[in-house]
DNA sequence: CTGAAAGCGCTAACAA
DNA sequence: TTGTTAGCGCTTTCAG
């Protein structure tokens, strides 16, 4: 059971004090290079393994960074995590994930649990946590970054884009392309507040252009290709003359696309399928789909960078001003422009 | 800065000892219900938040469970994680993820880092860690479960299925369906050892049936639909008469399917596209794809359950016998059976 | 450059 | 049912 080798053992074996061994095992700026080399060699021989729990207790701070995402079945959050990992590589921080399943209670428990590990920072998806969670984050003495959304008041820092504006932008693009008969199809908007904001932006923009009759199909539960396929079949049966459908995201939209391919509906000529996210697969589909490409990696990386910038200080910025970083998102046309 | 509220503060405010407060805040079996209620109320009023770091140091054990996966861009691992979360819900354990990107060095660092948090258990993907990592896991005094693969020697426990046999099974199914001209297309087999095992099982089985001329296209890098699409275009140009292509996984296979749809190749009549995993989307595609449905959630859940079963004992099972749980996988035909 | 003392916040093991 | 005594393994002072 080598794991019982402690720093004291290493120190004893090397004939130095625990303190010297401690310094030698980390950055070690105040120890002679020779000693460092010797201590590290002995540590390796003994099979010494650091105990981060003890170190964190002594420091009153761990080098964990808590990351809270709603789901992993959506590739998007994997890419956010990827961006985070890239940004903290070499910093000594370690990310530490929790998945809420879009459940506010679960989010509360996860955030609480994470905070109890005294992390160096937290990255939380969205601005719409429930009151207890928000309060907990607000009083926590560590940098917090909320990501993916800027439509609301951040607890501390914020990196993302306006979801409402993303939906509005898609509506404008479809209008400019000459589309006339719009619909909306989505999954799980009761819990996915960002999806709900996109829908709201879409519907508002259409309404501002006098289009108020927008059929919709919405189901609860997780996004899925299968659900998108089924709802598209339904809505096209009820409204065969639709020429644009906006979906809650690319997964659902792909289901719509697949339905149309099977049903022989020419895409994109007769109907535009519009998703959201711009996931990789959307560029390889056998028929074109419009989407909004979001910068997930960049958002993750920027959020992690924001925490690193605060590193070394256990308190929030003294400025009452909250920092929000707006990250671009790009409309990906792939629409057949009709001449009306 | 409420986070400075410590158990001692709660105890003082309640007029009890730290120990009583400690007991009251957790399970509390030996404390009078009234005291428990009072202490918990006071703790809430004071905004007390547990410090898991201190608790873990005192226990010499945290209630984290480390989960190491190679990638998140593959939905499969998200589903494994889901299974893990489901299984440990209510147990008080918390999963804690690391992503290796199929890089053995990174895997080593992640495992080392995780072990330094004194987790209650570890779940690691695959049986092919490098020697240092394996050694580290072997001596760690905690339950370890390796998942997804059973072709090899586990360090401790193992939950999965034979990847080689999965590849062989697909070859047999294609042979039985009357397919004659086989190919293989894959991504990243230099690092994805499980994918490489499936390929080996496939090729061996074909060879056993006298089929040794199996064209292949393999690229490095991550699996992607785009890569599958490009390689399929290439291989079909070079070998237009192929009637079955096995891919390293469903993502790559979908690329193949999309290429064929664009190229007007009738699927599945003239060509069977065979993937691996049985991801949800594979059932909604506009043309049928064969695949092997794997039980990811079940594997995750069984792995977590194996760790829970060991809970309470800091040492490995005294039995030298290593426990391997074989989880089923199911072939999903969707092949047009030809009459030869 | 190195060491000694003190303590981070909590809990096991006893006592009472 | 509750309290006391010792640490868990490390790092932060502050001396040498």
């Amino acid at each position: 059971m080598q794991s019982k080798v402690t720093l004291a053992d290493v120190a004893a074996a090397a004939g130095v004090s625990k303190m010297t061994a401690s310094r030698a095992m980390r950055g070690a700026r105040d120890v002679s290079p020779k000693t460092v080399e010797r201590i590290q060699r002995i540590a390796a021989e003994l099979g010494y393994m650091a105990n981060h729990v003890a170190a964190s207790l002594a420091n009153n701070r761990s080098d964990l960074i808590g990351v809270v995402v709603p789901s992993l079945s959506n590739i998007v959050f994997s890419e956010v995590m990827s961006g985070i990992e890239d940004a903290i590589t070499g910093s000594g921080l370690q990310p530490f994930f929790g998945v809420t399943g879009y459940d506010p209670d679960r989010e509360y428990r996860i955030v609480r649990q994470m905070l109890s590990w005294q992390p160096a920072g937290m990255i939380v998806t969205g601005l719409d946590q429930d009151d207890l969670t928000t309060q907990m984050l607000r009083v926590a003495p560590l940098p917090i970054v909320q990501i993916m959304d800027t439509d609301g008041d951040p607890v501390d820092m914020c990196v993302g884009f306006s979801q409402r504006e993303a939906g509005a932008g898609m509506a404008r693009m479809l209008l400019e392309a000459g589309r006339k008969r719009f619909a909306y199809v989505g999954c799980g908007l009761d819990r996915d507040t960002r999806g709900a904001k996109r829908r709201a932006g879409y519907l508002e923009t259409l309404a501002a252009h006098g289009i108020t009759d927008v059929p919709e199909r919405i189901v609860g539960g997780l996004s899925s290709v299968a659900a998108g396929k089924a709802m598209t079949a339904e809505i096209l049966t009820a409204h065969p003359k639709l020429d644009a459908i906006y979906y809650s995201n690319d997964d659902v939209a792909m289901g719509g696309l697949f339905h149309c391919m099977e049903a022989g509906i020419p895409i994109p000529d007769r109907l535009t399928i519009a998703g959201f996210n711009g996931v990789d697969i959307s560029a390889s589909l056998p028929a074109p789909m419009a989407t909004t490409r979001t910068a997930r990696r960049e958002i993750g990386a920027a959020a992690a960078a924001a925490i690193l910038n605060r590193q070394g200080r256990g308190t929030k910025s003294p400025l009452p001003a909250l920092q929000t970083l707006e990250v671009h998102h790009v409309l990906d046309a792939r629409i057949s422009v009709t001449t009306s």
Side-chain angles (χ1 to χ4, degrees), chain A:
Chain A
M1 203 164 292
Q2 299 195 34
S3 64
K4 289 297 176 193
V5 178
T6 187
L7 194 60
D9 300 328
V10 175
V16 297
S17 72
K18 272 197 319 182
M19 225 19 253
T20 304
S22 170
R23 290 194 262 250
M25 292 308 291
R26 349 172 227 160
R29 34 145 141 292
D30 281 358
V31 191
S32 78
K34 288 185 177 181
T35 333
V36 170
E37 192 278 327
R38 188 166 51 90
I39 291 175
Q40 292 198 339
R41 184 173 45 72
I42 290 175
E45 280 166 11
L46 263 48
Y48 170 70
M49 183 163 296
N51 184 334
H52 275 171
V53 176
S56 300
L57 180 60
N59 285 327
N60 260 316
R61 148 104 67 87
S62 74
D63 37 24
L64 293 172
I65 150 167
V67 181
V68 182
V69 298
S71 154
L72 289 174
S73 62
N74 194 329
I75 300 287
V76 166
F77 295 107
S78 312
E79 294 182 21
V80 170
M81 291 181 177
S82 235
I84 293 171
E85 294 216 30
D86 289 352
I88 66 177
T89 291
S91 71
L93 294 185
Q94 231 227 355
F96 160 52
F97 303 115
V99 183
T100 67
Y102 292 99
D103 176 348
D105 282 351
R106 200 151 152 203
E107 180 171 55
Y108 172 79
R109 289 198 306 274
I110 288 173
V111 169
R112 196 178 172 88
Q113 166 93 350
M114 280 186 167
L115 286 174
S116 78
W117 281 100
Q118 319 290 117
M122 294 262 294
I123 296 176
V124 186
T125 304
L127 291 167
D128 305 292
Q129 287 75 33
D130 76 15
D131 291 345
L132 274 80
T133 307
T134 303
Q135 181 55 18
M136 216 163 48
L137 289 171
R138 212 181 286 286
V139 303
L142 44 92
I144 312 270
V145 188
Q146 285 165 299
I147 58 171
M148 303 309 281
D149 191 2
T150 56
D151 298 327
D153 294 321
V155 152
D156 181 11
M157 295 179 282
C158 182
V159 178
F161 53 89
S162 166
Q163 297 278 341
R164 181 174 293 262
E165 169 49 31
M170 180 57 81
R172 285 194 300 271
M173 184 169 86
L174 294 169
L175 285 164
E176 280 163 24
R179 293 301 175 184
K180 298 271 191 274
R181 301 175 163 280
F182 298 84
Y184 178 85
V185 169
C187 285
L189 300 187
D190 46 333
R191 310 197 124 175
D192 175 4
T193 56
R194 286 171 296 289
K197 287 173 179 178
R198 292 193 295 274
R199 168 177 168 274
Y202 174 72
L203 295 178
E204 277 164 13
T205 302
L206 292 180
H209 285 76
I211 301 170
T212 51
D213 180 22
V214 181
E216 301 191 78
R217 284 295 181 284
I218 296 175
V219 293
L222 292 178
S223 288
S224 75
V225 178
K229 201 170 178 177
M231 285 189 282
T232 303
E234 260 182 56
I235 205 167
L236 284 175
T237 301
H239 307 274
K241 294 197 290 187
L242 291 175
D243 62 10
I245 306 179
Y246 185 36
Y247 292 82
S248 53
N249 69 25
D250 284 345
D251 286 343
V252 190
M254 279 192 285
L257 187 72
F258 294 161
H259 165 76
C260 293
M261 295 188 72
E262 289 181 14
I265 298 169
I267 305 291
D269 294 331
R270 194 158 103 212
L271 174 65
T272 298
I273 299 288
F276 177 79
N277 269 330
V279 299
D280 285 351
I281 187 173
S282 71
S284 298
L285 295 169
M289 186 171 102
T291 192
T292 305
R293 276 187 286 122
T294 55
R296 287 89 67 184
R297 288 192 107 81
E298 286 80 351
I299 289 176
I307 288 175
L308 289 172
N309 286 340
R310 281 271 193 81
Q311 270 292 91
R313 310 199 293 106
T315 56
K316 299 234 164 86
S317 160
L319 304 171
L322 298 167
Q323 177 192 340
T324 293
L325 175 62
E326 192 78 23
V327 173
H328 64 287
H329 56 279
V330 184
L331 281 166
D332 199 344
R334 299 177 159 258
I335 301 180
S336 180
V337 177
T338 59
T339 48
S340 54

